[in-house]
């Protein structure tokens, strides 16, 4: 569909975004959203490939990195990127699960989003990152206006979760409640269809 209204489109149009996440579904969701907002995406499941691209001189305006990846996690990937690109040249947004909030890293991230991320949160973080590059650092306490995406604002959404692992069911329930969603949780696809 068209980009959301009342986004400062000049901040976003044609920006090149690198998305690195070993989870195919997460990566595609971010790709679809970012492209819908007028940006150009390159994505990979392989953090080593991402470093190679940056070292080879591919230009990106922003990188969105998953924290938990095999081989080279998001924090180590950020360190490797920082060896060749400054914060001003390539700001980084970190994506992590609630369980991995404490990131042992000296790298400064422009934003740190906790999964599951609402589209409105992702959009706000991207806009703020680009706005900061134009104006310099801002007071993090300052409100940044309403995010333009209405997807996350249609509360209360009712979410159906199908998950066979009891621990994951409990975690999904907690995370969705934290985001303000109510949910029905079932153990498998057959129950979900019912």
């Amino acid at each position: 569909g068209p980009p959301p209204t009342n986004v400062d489109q000049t901040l976003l149009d044609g920006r090149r975004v690198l998305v690195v996440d070993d989870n195919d579904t997460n990566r595609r969701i971010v790709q679809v959203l970012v492209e819908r907002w007028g940006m150009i995406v390159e994505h990979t499941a392989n953090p080593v490939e991402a470093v190679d691209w940056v070292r080879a001189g591919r230009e990106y305006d922003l990188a969105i990195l998953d924290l938990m990846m095999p081989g080279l996690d998001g924090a180590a990937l950020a360190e490797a990127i920082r060896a060749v690109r400054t914060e001003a040249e390539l700001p980084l947004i970190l994506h992590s699960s609630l369980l991995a909030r404490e990131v042992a890293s000296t790298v400064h991230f422009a934003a740190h989003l906790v999964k599951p991320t609402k589209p409105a949160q992702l959009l706000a973080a991207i806009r703020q990152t680009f706005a900061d590059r134009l104006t310099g650092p801002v007071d993090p306490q300052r409100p940044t206006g309403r995010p333009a995406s209405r997807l996350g604002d249609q509360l209360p959404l009712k979410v159906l979760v199908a998950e066979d692992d009891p621990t994951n069911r409990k975690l999904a329930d907690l995370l969705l409640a934290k985001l303000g969603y109510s949910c029905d949780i079932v153990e498998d696809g057959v129950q979900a269809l019912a």
Side-chain angles (χ1 to χ4, degrees), residues 162-179:
E163 171 58 66
D164 60 351
D165 181 90
T167 308
N168 287 346
R169 280 201 300 274
K170 193 164 283 189
L171 183 62
D173 192 22
L174 285 169
L175 288 174
L176 288 165
K178 183 176 163 58
L179 290 173

Side-chain angles (χ1 to χ4, degrees), residues 10-144:
T10 55
L11 271 182
L12 307 182
D13 275 338
R15 297 283 196 162
R16 294 171 307 276
V17 180
L18 172 62
V19 177
V20 190
D21 192 326
D22 63 311
N23 181 295
D24 286 344
T25 305
N26 290 345
R27 205 172 60 252
R28 303 258 177 229
I29 289 170
V30 173
Q31 177 192 1
V32 166
L33 288 171
V34 170
E35 287 179 346
R36 184 184 298 162
W37 297 327
M39 290 168 275
I40 298 157
V41 175
E42 276 197 50
H43 61 89
T44 177
N46 182 345
V48 176
E49 182 173 41
V51 175
D52 288 343
W53 289 350
V54 174
R55 284 194 182 126
R58 290 201 201 184
E59 291 294 325
Y60 302 107
D61 297 298
L62 174 68
I64 301 173
L65 315 178
D66 182 40
L67 178 62
M68 304 299 283
M69 293 183 287
L72 194 67
D73 69 19
L77 171 57
E79 298 276 6
I81 289 173
R82 278 289 164 264
V84 282
R85 291 281 185 285
T86 66
E87 205 176 307
E89 290 170 328
L90 181 52
L92 306 174
I93 291 178
L94 185 69
H95 233 164
S96 73
S97 70
L98 197 58
L99 300 176
R101 288 182 90 146
E102 305 311 318
V103 184
S105 172
T106 56
V107 173
H108 179 74
F109 291 96
H112 179 188
L113 298 172
V114 176
K115 295 177 183 179
T117 309
K118 290 195 229 177
Q121 292 171 317
L122 178 62
L123 179 60
I126 292 171
R127 290 177 64 199
Q128 189 62 55
T129 299
F130 290 142
D132 288 352
R133 293 176 76 190
L134 297 177
T135 61
V138 295
D139 178 357
Q141 300 306 313
R142 194 193 69 181
T144 55

